[in-house]
Every structure is written in structure tokens, then in C-alpha cells.
Amino acid sequence: MELSAEFSRVLRCKAVSQTSDTIYSDKVYLPSSFLSSLLDSRNRTNNQNSAHNQFMAAHHRQPLHTPPDTNNASDYAFGDSDQLPSPLIFRLVQRSAVPPSEKAKHADRKAVYCGVREFSSEEGHVGVPEWLMRDAGLVAGDSVAVEFVRPEKGLFAQLQALDGAAKQVGDLRALLEAHMRSKLTALAVGETFQVPVGGMNRPLSFSVVALEPMNVVDIVDTDLSVDIVHADASVINSQMDDDSIGELVPGVAHNLEVTGGQSRIFQLHIPAQIKSTDVVVTCQPGGDVSVFPAGLTMYVSIIGFAAATRATVEVHFDAHREAESTVLAETALEAGPNESVCTNCGSNVPKDRFIMHQTVCERHNSKCQHCPRVFKRGSVEFEQHWHCNICTEAGDVDDRDKHIYFSHTPHACSCNPVHMYASVIELTAHRRTECPERLIECQYCHTNVAQGSLPTTAEAILRGQHEHEWSCGSRSISCVKCKAYVPIRQVKTHMQLHEMKEQRARANIVPCVNRECARERGDNPLGLCAICFGPLYSGQHDPDNQRLLKRLARTMHSQLTSGCGSKQCKNLHCVSGRANVSNDVVPLTQTAAAAMLIPVLKAYAPLATATNGYLIIDYSGIDLHLCI
């Protein structure tokens, strides 16, 4: 069924800049005049329908427009009103100057469906995300018809995964739900959209195969049943990276190369019959190699620090022995009473042989001038021994480029290219903790996403939530017990309150009379808990409770006229509490405060005449608000 356009306007197409909000979104930017024209068009349509219905009613005929069906949320939202429906869905169709005889070709042009992000585009232009332009076959400057349509709410969608990597995603349905909720407005059969996945170099592509109840559906605020069809084996094999260099053959060396500042992972296959042999990986200076064995498959990671880094992978049958080290001991034990310490090698030598040892040692051994290491004179280790002139790091000459790159070369994070970190170590600490691009598994949408910017509110800081989890947890759901709408991040606390009320009801716990407190009532004449009654307690003999009631009156009168002075107070019957909550710092007058005390003191009046009188007081009618 073809959707009819209720309003249409031709605009020039332009690409919008790619940001985190627009790169995978189907929402476009329209000019402000488009909104005005759309509202005028709807008002004219409503006025025409109203006049026609009045004419038909006067002649006892069926009205042109029937009242909306309130059982159908879509029809009810699109009823005759001055307000526009939500969401606004538009169809983009390319238009070009062609002869009238070829206008039929317009029907063959591919139409794409989208929502609107803002009415802030420059006049006469529509800003369209690049992926949506490619899907519609549009280029910047094309004339495009923007048509307002009303598809029905979607009930079912069948999606075809075009990437074999989709099977590697742990919770694919949660990933699709989060992406479709935040990025997409409508789906159309034949449409292809991309979903970014945290930790993957490229997004996953999905094609819409089938939809119900029509070929174009609205997916905003609806329960959509999704069926996912994965790609077959031939498609997966064709999409594999060309980093596999085949099987390792004994005696044949495989040369691998990466450019400076880059990294690459190669996949090597080891034949089963030689899996017990040694695989030797060597790398030239200026690079780093890591090997990850996985059964008969081995992954070799190469990181280049020089202009071009080469590595060699080769299989050897004969076990090789490492060359004998020519590095002598760096430290020696404490010399005994009959021993002396050689000033060249640091060894403990008997005193009777010390002169001979020192003569031979200085002839054959050399001590590093910067560290206590001793080498054989003329050895390869001594020639390649190296010390960093910036820090105290030492090692071989082959490690110099790697050390300079990691420890003394400034690096910028992709989240803020302007700010430079002194070393890879500092950059790693940033990427591991506060970087907005750090991948986390959201506890609410269960997808791997970037955590976003640092929290700014006190609650977010206490919860340890960054931008994504804070905004994702702000979505409200209805409580199954009280039907109240509660933010997702507060559901656990909200349910604990229900559980606490149920436990209190089962245990028959009587609460404190103070309305600002939720503790259990204590054994005192005022019906307060131990915490609330503590400031009012006195050890003086008071059989008729007169002094107790005077202390209560002074405390309440002080709250109403001058406040308790606490910056954390939320008691609206206290000057300090009103100042913290609503910036209302005007205290009550002495007369007004005394008038508010009279009902409370009358309720406690039996305490002054009855022995143990607090047992006969009706505490349920006492409106007591004490700061705690």
C-alpha cells in the first residue's frame, strides 16, 4: 500500500557534518519555514473538513471525516487538532528537471523515510546524513521532495545481517534495540542501515527484508517483534580480512611488514603434523611482536615504531639453545671478613687473590658507567647496551625506539586531539578511566558503548555513571506494584522501598510520629523514635510532662522562626529546610509560629493530666515535623 503525502515541498539536498548524533541517524535538518508551512497546511485541511462536516450534518449525510478511533493509538495521535503528530516522518524522493514525457520515471526512484532532528537548516535546504544520501542515490545540490507521510506503527520486522561479525555480538537484540530507539524513526522494506558496535573497527550492516503491517512502519514508542537472519557462510568468507598468510611450511620464512605508528594482526595456520615444532618470530629493531596461539591457529601482532617494521615468521624442527649470556652478575653478596670487593665487577674475592683477580678482571671485563652491570669486554651485549638520557631506563639499543615512543613521545587521544599526553603510559591511564570513548557495557541497555563525558551531577558522581549510562538510565518505566513512573536507574531503590513497607506491615512496626522520620517508634511519651526524642530528653523529675512539652514547643518555635541551621535539611516546616529546597528564606512571625504550635500541643494535652498518659494519646492525628 502506497503512502499518500499530505504535504510536500522541494528543497536542495546537502550533507550534514558527521557527529555522534548524526553519523548513523535517520533524522534530517529542515528549515524553520518548512514547519510554518506544514502547520498552515494542517490548519487549512482541518478547517475544510470542519466546514464540510457541518454541511453534511445539516443535510443528514455521512460526514467526510469520522472521529478518531481511540483504541488505535496511531489514529488518535493523528486526529484533527492544531498540534502535529509525533513523531514527524517524511519521505525523501529525488526530483530533477526532466521532460513531461519522462515524469513516469520518478516513480522508479528510490524513496527513503526519515524523521526530523531540528528545524534549523538554512532556508531552501534539507540537511541529510551521508549514509541516507547514499541509500537514496542523492548527492549534494540535488532537488529532493520532502513529503509528510503517516505510516502505521510497526508490529514485526525481519532483518538480514549482512556481516558475519554479527554472530560475534553477545546480545545482538539489545544492541539493535538501543540503536533503533536512539537513532531510527521509521523502517522501509529494502532499506539498509548500519549499527556501530563497541570494539569493532566497522559497523554492522542490516537490510530490512519484511515488515508488518505495511512496507513502511513507524518504530517510535512501539513494541516491535524482530526476526534476525544471519549471513550464510559464503558471505562471511568473502568479508574476512586479507591478513591470513596461509600455512607455515618448515624451512620457509614468511616476511611481514607494517608501517611506522601502525599495528596489524596476522593469522597463521600451523599444520597438525608439525604442531609440536618451534615457531620462531623475529622482528627488526623499531618494532614489537606479540604471539597469541589458539590451537592450530596463531595470531601474530606487530606494532611498528620505525618508518617501516619487518618481521619474519619461520618454523624450526630442531630445538635451539639460547647463546650463553655474556652479562655478569649485577650484584654481589656482602663481603666476608677475609674477602674484598672488586671495584670493577663488584664480586667478593679472597684477599690473597684480590690483586690477581682485579688485574684479570679489568683486562677482560667492562663496567657500565651508568649502572652496576658488568659485561665481557668487546661482547655484543656491551656494544648494544644503552641508557636513556631522559630517564633511568636501560636496555638494548633495539629497545630505544620503542622506549622513546612509549615514554617520551607526546600522544593525543582521539576524544580531544588538542590535548597532548606526555607518554603512552599517561594516555593509557586516560583511556582506561575518564576517556569519553572508553567502552563499557551499559547496565541498562546491555550494549558495548562509549561511556561519554564525565558526570556533573552529585547523583551521577555517587553512582559512578558517565554520560551514556546517566542518559540511558533516565528512561522511565511503570512500576508493576504502584504504577508510578520511575527512572530505570532508580528502579532498584524504588522496589526496596516497596519491600521495606511490606516487611514493616508483616512485622507490625509502628513508625515514629515525626513525619520527617521513618524509624520505629520508641517507648517515650511523645511517640518518637530514640533519635528524634534524644534532643528533647532531660533527666529532671517531670511527672506531669510539663517541662517536656515546653522543650518540644521551644524546638518547634525555633525551627519556624530561625531554622535549624543545617545545609542538608529538607524539612519544609523549618526556615533552613525551605531555604535549601525552594530558596524561601522568609521566617514566620512569632504569632504565626505560635498558631502552628497550638494543634500539636492540644494533641499532647492529655500528657499533663494522665499518669503514663502517652498510652491513651491518638498519635495518628499529630502533624509533627521535627528536624533530624
Side-chain angles (χ1 to χ4, degrees):
M1 180 177 64
E2 182 69 20
L3 286 173
S4 59
E6 299 185 10
F7 175 79
S8 178
R9 184 175 172 184
V10 178
L11 301 172
R12 289 285 181 182
C13 178
K14 72 171 185 179
V16 297
S17 58
Q18 290 192 358
T19 63
S20 59
D21 293 330
T22 62
I23 185 171
Y24 299 112
S25 173
D26 68 349
K27 297 177 177 63
V28 299
Y29 292 81
L30 294 171
S32 57
S33 61
F34 188 94
L35 177 60
S36 302
S37 301
L38 181 59
L39 286 171
D40 293 341
S41 174
R42 283 186 54 81
N43 291 335
R44 287 195 301 269
T45 303
N46 291 341
N47 293 336
Q48 292 173 2
N49 291 342
S50 177
H52 189 277
N53 290 342
Q54 292 177 3
F55 173 80
M56 300 298 288
H59 292 77
H60 306 286
R61 298 182 182 179
Q62 180 68 25
L64 175 66
H65 177 75
T66 58
D69 182 8
T70 57
N71 294 326
N72 190 326
S74 178
D75 291 342
Y76 186 75
F78 298 151
D80 288 340
S81 66
D82 294 336
Q83 296 181 354
L84 291 174
S86 178
L88 292 175
I89 297 178
F90 299 95
R91 177 171 56 202
L92 305 183
V93 183
Q94 184 182 10
R95 291 287 185 263
S96 58
V98 294
S101 59
E102 299 183 7
K103 285 187 177 180
K105 294 182 179 179
H106 289 315
D108 297 332
R109 299 185 188 275
K110 183 177 180 180
V112 293
Y113 295 83
C114 60
V116 59
R117 182 174 297 278
E118 293 178 358
F119 290 94
S120 60
S121 179
E122 69 176 286
E123 194 60 39
H125 290 78
V126 53
V128 185
E130 291 186 0
W131 76 270
L132 205 60
M133 291 178 60
R134 291 194 300 268
D135 202 32
L138 298 172
V139 295
D142 281 353
S143 295
V144 58
V146 183
E147 302 172 349
F148 172 53
V149 294
R150 296 178 178 177
E152 297 183 22
K153 292 289 185 181
L155 302 176
F156 170 79
Q158 186 179 42
L159 305 179
Q160 170 76 49
L162 303 180
D163 296 276
K167 292 186 176 180
Q168 302 175 8
V169 179
D171 195 342
L172 187 58
R173 292 186 179 276
L175 176 69
L176 282 172
E177 178 185 355
H179 177 78
M180 295 168 70
R181 182 180 61 248
S182 60
K183 300 294 185 181
L184 301 182
T185 309
L187 290 179
V189 174
E191 175 186 3
T192 300
F193 62 91
Q194 293 181 326
V195 180
V197 183
M200 290 189 177
N201 296 329
R202 59 187 181 187
L204 301 179
S205 297
F206 292 87
S207 175
V208 182
V209 179
L211 294 170
E212 290 182 5
M214 54 192 309
N215 289 338
V216 181
V217 295
D218 172 13
I219 62 172
V220 177
D221 295 332
T222 182
D223 292 331
L224 186 69
S225 253
V226 178
D227 180 27
I228 303 173
V229 180
H230 289 278
D232 55 18
S234 60
V235 175
I236 296 176
N237 293 333
S238 65
Q239 294 174 347
M240 290 184 62
D241 294 336
D242 190 20
D243 285 345
S244 178
I245 60 175
E247 283 192 338
L248 290 174
V249 180
V252 178
H254 297 270
N255 296 319
L256 314 177
E257 182 176 347
V258 296
T259 57
Q262 301 293 324
S263 63
R264 194 175 177 187
I265 298 178
F266 297 89
Q267 183 179 2
L268 310 176
H269 299 284
I270 306 174
Q273 62 271 21
I274 62 169
K275 64 181 180 180
S276 60
T277 59
D278 294 333
V279 179
V280 181
V281 181
T282 58
C283 183
Q284 71 175 33
D288 191 18
V289 175
S290 299
V291 180
F292 309 95
L296 297 181
T297 303
M298 182 176 65
Y299 298 92
V300 180
S301 172
I302 303 177
I303 304 176
F305 306 106
T309 302
R310 295 180 178 86
T312 302
V313 181
E314 189 173 357
V315 175
H316 292 275
F317 283 107
D318 297 329
H320 60 284
R321 293 186 302 172
E322 295 183 357
E324 183 179 354
S325 175
T326 56
V327 182
L328 303 182
E330 299 182 7
T331 58
L333 299 176
E334 185 177 354
N338 297 324
E339 294 178 333
S340 298
V341 179
C342 177
T343 57
N344 186 54
C345 67
S347 301
N348 297 332
V349 182
K351 292 182 178 180
D352 56 349
R353 292 184 297 175
F354 178 75
I355 298 177
M356 182 187 305
H357 168 83
Q358 192 167 21
T359 303
V360 175
C361 183
E362 291 177 352
R363 183 185 305 167
H364 293 89
N365 300 326
S366 297
K367 181 181 180 181
C368 178
Q369 299 178 356
H370 305 284
C371 67
R373 300 185 68 180
V374 181
F375 304 87
K376 288 186 178 180
R377 187 181 298 274
S379 64
V380 178
E381 286 85 352
F382 180 67
E383 297 296 333
Q384 293 187 349
H385 186 59
W386 160 83
H387 277 268
C388 179
N389 55 5
I390 302 176
C391 63
T392 58
E393 187 70 20
D396 295 336
V397 176
D398 296 344
D399 299 331
R400 178 171 52 195
D401 293 338
K402 177 180 177 181
H403 171 74
I404 296 298
Y405 180 84
F406 272 98
S407 302
H408 306 298
T409 302
H411 295 272
C413 182
S414 56
C415 70
N416 185 10
V418 178
H419 181 73
M420 301 297 292
Y421 294 89
S423 64
V424 173
I425 300 173
E426 293 187 9
L427 176 62
T428 303
H430 163 74
R431 297 284 295 182
R432 190 174 60 247
T433 54
E434 61 184 18
C435 179
E437 297 179 354
R438 174 175 173 257
L439 292 180
I440 61 170
E441 183 178 354
C442 178
Q443 58 182 307
Y444 304 118
C445 63
H446 307 290
T447 58
N448 292 329
V449 293
Q451 66 180 358
S453 58
L454 292 171
T456 55
T457 62
E459 184 181 356
I461 295 174
L462 290 174
R463 291 177 178 269
Q465 295 178 352
H466 286 242
E467 180 184 12
H468 173 81
E469 282 193 325
W470 180 255
S471 60
C472 191
S474 299
R475 294 182 288 115
S476 298
I477 60 173
S478 177
C479 176
V480 296
K481 293 187 176 181
C482 64
K483 306 303 179 185
Y485 283 94
V486 183
I488 295 179
R489 63 171 174 267
Q490 297 178 0
V491 167
K492 183 178 180 180
T493 304
H494 182 78
M495 298 307 295
Q496 288 176 347
L497 291 176
H498 281 296
E499 181 65 23
M500 184 178 66
K501 291 180 180 179
E502 294 175 358
Q503 291 178 356
R504 176 175 294 176
R506 291 194 297 266
N508 194 22
I509 297 176
V510 182
C512 176
V513 174
N514 185 9
R515 301 296 177 88
E516 305 297 325
C517 179
R519 300 180 182 89
E520 184 179 1
R521 184 182 302 174
D523 186 15
N524 57 76
L526 299 180
L528 300 173
C529 67
I531 302 298
C532 297
F533 185 72
L536 303 174
Y537 173 76
S538 176
Q540 294 180 356
H541 181 63
D542 188 18
D544 55 358
N545 299 309
Q546 290 288 348
R547 292 187 177 88
L548 176 61
L549 293 179
K550 289 180 180 179
R551 289 193 295 272
L552 176 63
R554 285 196 300 268
T555 301
M556 296 180 60
H557 193 272
S558 176
Q559 288 181 188
L560 295 172
T561 56
S562 60
C564 65
S566 173
K567 295 183 179 180
Q568 306 298 327
C569 180
K570 304 296 182 183
N571 185 5
L572 297 180
H573 290 72
C574 173
V575 176
S576 301
R578 291 200 305 273
N580 295 332
V581 174
S582 59
N583 295 325
D584 180 12
V585 295
V586 180
L588 295 181
T589 62
Q590 302 286 341
T591 305
M596 293 187 65
L597 295 179
I598 293 175
V600 177
L601 296 178
K602 283 185 177 180
Y604 282 119
L607 288 178
T609 57
T611 304
N612 204 18
Y614 62 90
L615 296 177
I616 61 173
I617 293 179
D618 182 14
Y619 293 105
S620 61
I622 299 178
D623 188 20
L624 185 61
H625 295 266
L626 295 176
C627 297
I628 54 175

